[in-house]
Amino acid sequence: QFDEARKNLDQGLAAARDGNNAVQVASALDAEGDNLFYQGDYKGASADYQQALQSVSKTSDRMVTLSTKVNIAKVAIKQGGAASSVNTLNSLSQDADTIGLKYLSVQCSVFLADALNETKNYPKAKQELDRALNRSEKLGMRVLLAQTQYLYGRNLQLSGNAGDAKSHFDDAKSVLSDIQKEARTDTVLKRSDLSPIEQSAAK
């Protein structure tokens, strides 16, 4: 429910600004950016993420700072900046591991693999996908697991191993189906980062 979410997020952002809380403002802007990202509005999402970084840069909050930088990198990939995102995500992944942010670290691996696929560095992308697959399964991160399986299929497909891609696409769809059933809505399938999974097929 993107429109309803936007109303609630706008209220939260206004409250954070009224309270003059830079970290809460950044978190609210990140959430608004995610809402736009899931709708495929990458330009709007990027603007919100950049504002979030400006806000959190006034603080010493490492978690929100890292999360915002990861968001900026992930939207940059969608806007044609995959090559420039590779080094950034490598560094952010190390930072996330250093301070024990497991979910964010796996996110970095997933987005890094996406960027490496886009830049045709398939062997390195596969290394990141192996890492993300093991950790997302172990930690029960189902959205990241679905994304990883999908990107694994794409990696095989793009590197000339389309025959091996189907099992990964099928696994991604299976995880996504479980997520959809738990959410009790088809809206999850409209997310820009999840909709390609439903449409995936080995060619």
Side-chain angles (χ1 to χ4, degrees), residues 1-2 4 175-191 194 198:
Q1 305 296 327
F2 297 124
E4 183 177 345
V175 176
L176 182 59
S177 178
D178 290 341
I179 294 170
Q180 178 190 356
K181 289 175 184 176
E182 184 172 301
R184 298 182 181 179
T185 175
D186 291 338
T187 305
V188 67
L189 301 179
K190 297 178 182 179
R191 279 179 43 166
L194 297 180
E198 185 67 17

Side-chain angles (χ1 to χ4, degrees), residues 111-173:
F111 300 144
L112 178 54
D114 190 13
L116 290 165
N117 272 347
E118 290 297 316
T119 56
K120 301 183 181 181
N121 190 344
Y122 305 125
K124 179 63 176 174
K126 187 175 180 298
Q127 290 178 15
E128 288 299 323
L129 288 166
D130 284 333
R131 180 172 183 264
L133 188 60
N134 290 333
R135 298 184 74 190
S136 59
E137 283 183 328
K138 181 179 179 180
L139 298 170
M141 301 172 178
R142 290 189 298 171
V143 169
L144 295 181
L145 177 59
Q147 292 172 333
T148 301
Q149 290 284 19
Y150 168 73
L151 288 172
Y152 217 122
R154 286 290 291 154
N155 178 274
L156 293 168
Q157 196 175 56
L158 292 168
S159 59
N161 298 294
D164 297 327
K166 185 178 183 301
S167 63
H168 291 282
F169 288 147
D170 288 346
D171 286 345
K173 290 178 182 179

Side-chain angles (χ1 to χ4, degrees), residues 73-90:
K74 79 178 181 186
V75 80
I77 296 169
K78 300 300 183 183
Q79 293 181 302
S84 63
S85 299
V86 170
N87 288 338
T88 298
L89 285 165
N90 264 317

